[in-house]
Amino acid sequence: MLVVMKANASEEQVRAVCQKIESYGLRAHAIPGAQRTAIGITGNRGEVETGTFESLEGVQEVIKVSKPYKLVSRDVKAEDTIIRFPGSDASIGDNEIAVIAGPCGVESHEQAFAVAERVAKAGARFFRGGAYKPRTSPYAFQGLGELGLQILAEVRERFGLLIVTEAVDHESLALVDDYADVIQIGARNMQNFSLLKAAGRARKPVLLKRGMSATLEEFLMAAEYIMSEGNYNVVLCERGVRTFADHTRNTLDLSVVPAVQRLSHLPILVDPSHGTGKRNKVTPLSRAAIAVGADGLIIEVHNDPDHALSDGNQSLYPDQFDNLMNEVRQIAQVLGRTIADPVADPAARRSAGAAAD
Ligand code: PEP
Ligand code: MN
């Protein structure tokens, strides 16, 4: 159920409605929008009597939400969610397309710095790299753990890049929440409901990857798990689903982008690296992702892909990433969107951001 407040409702009126909702043992989620605040109600097992809230001051109407997901839905918030990062010009979901680039895994200080310098210069504002790697084989590289997170923190310090890295379980989630700017929940964990709830109690925004066999509804319900715990900064990410096709690692489902945008106010990114698994398909699918209206890209880039400890086959060489950025920048322009320009000295961007604080 959704309590829609009047456009001129005061903060006290919103608070009073929330208190009333919580006095019934339910949870109130006040989501401010451009026109009005809507208060989502969760925690109810059955029907809630609408009349209880309709008569409260400042209330415009009470709507029953028939969809299984509520907080992710455009019913709660008509306009797009934009996630901002204090002290940085970066955002996700705004007119500027967010580009997250970096290696699959953080392998060493040298590797992370070599890649970070190149992707920052090419215009990426976010750096990716797993410190904890969910691998199909227990014998494959599992990540550097906390040392990897420390290297990522140094990358942020040196290049002014915001850090996106994966949490694979509760233990790593607490550490990732401390070190990173965005917590990634991987495809294999999209329905790890206890991890989703814990991410919902974390302080940082969450990048939620679509499970490899998840329907759109399952994907949105996973996001709902995070939001239902009070973390409203959720970014969705399409990374390919499993089909019978064997010319690519996964089948990148770009049609999910407009499908998500119809139903949800959350930003949606595309990961053509995992979506195709093949280096030569990453740039073409990146172009397509921007053309279809994605809010951003997550791209694997490695300084020495042939010796990468994971996902070398799908990692771009830095020069290829430069080219990708030039191409998608032009496509973005056609759609009235922007992508950050290349920067000669990323360290200077860092100090400019810090000075603006
Ligand atoms: C990754 O981003 O490196 C990763 C493991 O992605 P996914 O969860 O989409 O497989
Ligand atoms: Mn990878």
Side-chain angles (χ1 to χ4, degrees):
M1 194 149 79
L2 192 62
V3 179
V4 180
M5 301 298 292
K6 291 184 178 150
N8 61 357
S10 67
E11 275 180 35
E12 291 90 272
Q13 289 172 336
V14 172
R15 212 168 313 127
V17 174
C18 291
Q19 276 163 5
K20 182 83 173 174
I21 294 168
E22 288 180 352
S23 74
Y24 287 93
L26 305 169
R27 183 149 185 184
H29 304 264
I31 315 255
Q35 308 299 331
R36 46 42 165 194
T37 292
I39 307 171
I41 303 178
T42 60
N44 49 309
R45 306 221 181 280
E47 290 262 308
V48 182
E49 195 42 66
T50 54
T52 325
F53 305 110
E54 250 156 14
S55 55
L56 296 177
E57 278 187 46
V59 173
Q60 169 90 37
E61 59 178 330
V62 179
I63 303 170
K64 286 196 177 132
V65 181
S66 54
K67 300 188 190 82
Y69 43 85
K70 303 175 198 318
L71 304 175
V72 307
S73 158
R74 285 215 189 259
D75 294 345
V76 169
K77 185 163 174 270
E79 58 278 357
D80 296 344
T81 284
I82 299 173
I83 299 175
R84 300 197 187 282
F85 297 85
S88 158
D89 294 335
S91 59
I92 303 180
D94 206 353
N95 200 49
E96 181 180 286
I97 285 166
V99 179
I100 305 172
C104 179
V106 178
E107 299 169 8
S108 67
H109 191 275
E110 293 64 38
Q111 172 244 20
F113 270 56
V115 180
E117 178 165 20
R118 292 297 306 268
V119 301
K121 282 186 170 168
R125 291 195 191 271
F126 297 84
F127 187 69
R128 60 147 294 143
Y132 300 89
K133 295 305 307 171
R135 304 305 299 283
T136 303
S137 163
Y139 309 117
F141 175 59
Q142 305 282 312
L144 298 181
E146 192 169 0
L147 172 62
L149 296 178
Q150 286 162 358
I151 294 172
L152 289 169
E154 288 173 39
V155 163
R156 175 179 40 226
E157 205 41 53
R158 174 79 179 79
F159 299 105
L161 291 161
L162 297 180
I163 302 301
V164 181
T165 193
E166 180 167 356
V168 291
D169 51 24
H170 286 255
E171 199 187 334
S172 53
L173 178 70
L175 283 164
V176 167
D177 197 17
D178 283 344
Y179 281 94
D181 299 290
V182 178
I183 302 165
Q184 179 175 325
I185 300 288
R188 291 158 191 79
N189 272 318
M190 192 209 81
Q191 285 191 317
N192 180 339
F193 299 118
S194 84
L195 188 62
L196 295 176
K197 284 198 218 169
R201 294 188 293 269
R203 291 164 294 137
K204 304 288 171 60
V206 178
L207 172 72
L208 176 68
K209 290 190 140 193
R210 181 182 180 186
M212 46 191 104
S213 66
T215 63
L216 173 56
E217 187 167 302
E218 287 164 344
F219 190 19
L220 295 176
M221 291 306 285
E224 185 81 15
Y225 259 94
I226 299 168
M227 294 185 79
S228 71
E229 292 292 324
N231 189 346
Y232 306 128
N233 290 325
V234 179
V235 183
L236 302 169
C237 179
E238 161 61 26
R239 48 79 70 207
V241 291
R242 193 163 280 190
T243 67
F244 52 82
D246 59 4
H247 60 284
T248 48
R249 177 177 175 184
N250 293 293
T251 296
L252 190 64
D253 177 15
L254 290 179
S255 68
V256 84
V257 172
V260 161
Q261 287 168 339
R262 225 173 97 87
L263 299 173
S264 177
H265 53 87
L266 295 176
I268 171 132
L269 311 187
V270 168
D271 172 351
S273 304
H274 295 87
T276 66
K278 303 254 166 88
R279 183 178 306 134
N280 64 12
K281 296 185 175 54
V282 172
T283 299
L285 271 296
S286 298
R287 293 186 210 121
I290 297 309
V292 86
D295 296 299
L297 295 171
I298 176 164
I299 308 285
E300 287 187 341
V301 181
H302 200 289
N303 56 326
D304 182 11
D306 290 343
H307 296 102
L309 297 182
S310 59
D311 285 348
N313 290 343
Q314 65 194 35
S315 299
L316 296 187
Y317 287 92
D319 284 352
Q320 293 178 309
F321 182 67
D322 287 342
N323 180 51
L324 179 155
M325 289 291 275
N326 289 337
E327 292 187 4
V328 292
R329 211 174 266 119
Q330 294 174 59
I331 295 170
Q333 216 176 8
V334 174
L335 299 169
R337 300 190 80 164
T338 59
I339 293 187
D341 284 329
V343 270
D345 180 8
R349 185 164 72 183
R350 164 85 191 98
S351 9
D357 268 353

